[in-house]
Amino acid sequence: MSEFNNRISLQRTVIKITNSLGYRHQLVGISSKAIDRWVIDNKIDPKSKLVVKIKEISGQLFFLANKSQEQITESYRKLSNIVSHLVDELKEEVEKMLNEG
Amino acid sequence: MYIYAFGSVCRGEIDRYSDVDLLAIVETQMDTLNFNKDDYSIYSESRIRELWDEGNPFAWHLSIESKLIFSSTGKDLIKNLGTPSKYKNCTSDCKKFQRLFEEAFLSLTNSCDSSIFDLSTVFLAIRNFATCYSLGIENRFNFSRDSALKLESHPLKIKSECYDILKRSRILSTRGKGENFTYEEIIGVKDCLLQIKKWFEKFKIN
């Protein structure tokens, strides 16, 4: 799969995990503007662990956009590791929230 | 450092979805920190040169539809780069965007957990596919947001309400702007997805 499609796929994963929480309004993207909109629509605490984690992932996923082609392969490898770690942390946080009801 | 406006504002293609696209071309990674990445597309000068050498559609887009707003050197970098190389990656790019559509289609079919994001991805896929196809196969510049409707061969024909929902979902998922979607709107647009799938299959990409 291309790096571009991979990045979209990672965004989808984050969105599916987050939306499993069942908020009234779905998270529809992980640009910071889309996250802010979701936070406001659902009256979520912007400083909550959940929001901070999603914003962290967002920052990492958009980081590559401006990298030169030569750097992409290595950066993407590093980024994949960082993002998969962050996604695991997000999953844990979501599971915790679901268990707490 | 250079700042350019590009996109719909330079085409005079103004509608309620219009935004001003800004490009910042910087020299070092540190310079990127001065820009809000939500407001600017930020590229290094070396990456811009690579895009020109690749004949990347974005390079063609900028060469045709960008306007210099600020230059710290007094020069117009994009103008000085001249015409980009011939676009060579049309086949792989078109296949990439077709796959992107298929992944979103599959996700929409299997669950509702990311439906608006998936609709937004469908819009991204059809728009980028059409832009790449126009440039690589039709030898035409078609950088409009509605490039799929403006293809010479097989323009996309779906109900305008469906197309509008796809477009709105893209704006919502990237800029966080616009009305939220009703359940009926999402279900309604899902009916058009098979038509879009068939539309992709009309193109013989080898």
Side-chain angles (χ1 to χ4, degrees):
Chain A
M1 201 194 280
S2 76
E3 186 269 332
F4 182 84
N5 288 17
N6 263 325
R7 208 149 21 107
I8 300 277
S9 174
L10 273 169
Q11 290 178 53
R12 180 178 292 112
T13 302
V14 170
I15 285 167
K16 280 186 191 291
I17 293 170
T18 308
N19 287 338
S20 70
L21 284 164
Y23 280 107
R24 182 160 182 254
H25 298 287
Q26 280 195 350
L27 178 66
V28 300
I30 61 164
S31 67
S32 56
K33 286 179 181 173
I35 299 169
D36 290 344
R37 167 72 183 262
W38 173 72
V39 165
I40 291 167
D41 282 352
N42 291 296
K43 300 186 174 65
I44 302 170
D45 176 5
K47 290 177 184 159
S48 66
K49 267 190 187 175
L50 176 70
V51 176
V52 170
K53 195 54 67 189
I54 297 168
K55 286 215 164 183
E56 210 176 331
I57 296 172
S58 162
Q60 291 293 341
L61 281 179
F62 285 91
F63 174 72
L64 274 185
N66 309 309
K67 288 277 183 183
S68 75
Q69 201 61 48
E70 287 85 356
Q71 292 168 298
I72 277 179
T73 311
E74 185 55 27
S75 297
Y76 190 73
R77 215 174 291 132
K78 282 183 197 158
L79 176 105
S80 297
N81 293 335
I82 294 169
V83 172
S84 48
H85 181 65
L86 289 172
V87 169
D88 286 344
E89 287 180 350
L90 175 69
K91 261 188 213 160
E92 276 173 32
E93 181 60 23
V94 167
E95 275 164 23
K96 203 172 119 196
M97 288 173 74
L98 286 170
N99 288 334
E100 284 168 358
Chain B
M1 177 185 66
Y2 305 88
I3 298 174
Y4 289 86
F6 68 100
S8 58
V9 71
C10 294
R11 286 191 299 276
E13 191 180 272
I14 308 299
D15 62 21
R16 64 195 169 109
Y17 302 112
S18 300
D19 207 355
V20 178
D21 292 311
L22 293 170
L23 168 75
I25 304 176
V26 296
E27 280 179 29
T28 67
Q29 192 68 31
M30 283 302 287
D31 295 335
T32 64
L33 301 174
N34 297 327
F35 291 93
N36 182 340
K37 64 179 170 36
D38 289 330
D39 297 331
Y40 290 85
S41 298
I42 312 165
Y43 283 78
S44 65
E45 200 171 316
S46 61
R47 180 61 185 142
I48 286 289
R49 289 182 190 279
E50 283 169 8
L51 293 175
W52 245 253
D53 291 343
E54 288 167 17
N56 187 293
F58 188 51
W60 281 99
H61 187 174
L62 293 175
S63 76
I64 303 295
E65 291 175 357
S66 67
K67 298 240 188 295
L68 180 66
I69 294 176
F70 174 77
S71 165
S72 60
T73 66
K75 294 176 183 165
D76 183 338
L77 176 73
I78 286 183
K79 192 177 169 196
N80 292 343
L81 283 171
T83 307
S85 302
K86 186 176 163 52
Y87 176 37
K88 295 178 273 295
N89 299 328
C90 178
T91 304
S92 59
D93 283 347
C94 285
K95 283 182 178 171
K96 175 173 76 182
F97 293 121
Q98 186 166 4
R99 262 199 311 277
L100 194 68
F101 165 77
E102 284 161 3
E103 286 155 15
F105 180 81
L106 192 67
S107 174
L108 278 159
T109 311
N110 292 338
S111 94
C112 294
D113 282 349
S114 54
S115 50
I116 298 164
F117 174 76
D118 290 328
L119 294 177
S120 146
T121 306
V122 167
F123 187 78
L124 173 70
I126 60 177
R127 180 198 176 171
N128 286 8
F129 178 94
T131 296
C132 293
Y133 189 88
S134 291
L135 184 63
I137 308 290
E138 295 180 341
N139 292 313
R140 286 172 59 236
F141 301 126
N142 182 8
F143 301 115
S144 162
R145 198 180 300 119
D146 299 323
S147 55
L149 308 181
K150 295 178 179 178
L151 274 168
E152 260 181 10
S153 43
H154 315 303
L156 178 67
K157 286 176 184 163
I158 55 171
K159 281 192 281 186
S160 60
E161 306 92 274
C162 290
Y163 185 78
D164 206 47
I165 288 171
L166 294 175
K167 207 168 174 177
R168 270 175 55 205
S169 64
R170 184 73 195 146
I171 307 287
L172 191 62
S173 80
T174 52
R175 297 185 217 154
K177 276 188 196 167
E179 288 171 30
N180 286 312
F181 289 82
T182 64
Y183 177 74
E184 289 73 22
E185 283 179 318
I186 296 170
I187 295 299
V189 79
K190 277 188 176 181
D191 292 341
C192 290
L193 295 177
L194 270 179
Q195 279 177 276
I196 298 174
K197 192 171 189 304
K198 284 180 187 159
W199 173 75
F200 271 110
E201 288 163 1
K202 284 180 188 170
F203 299 91
K204 305 292 174 218
I205 310 288
N206 295 309

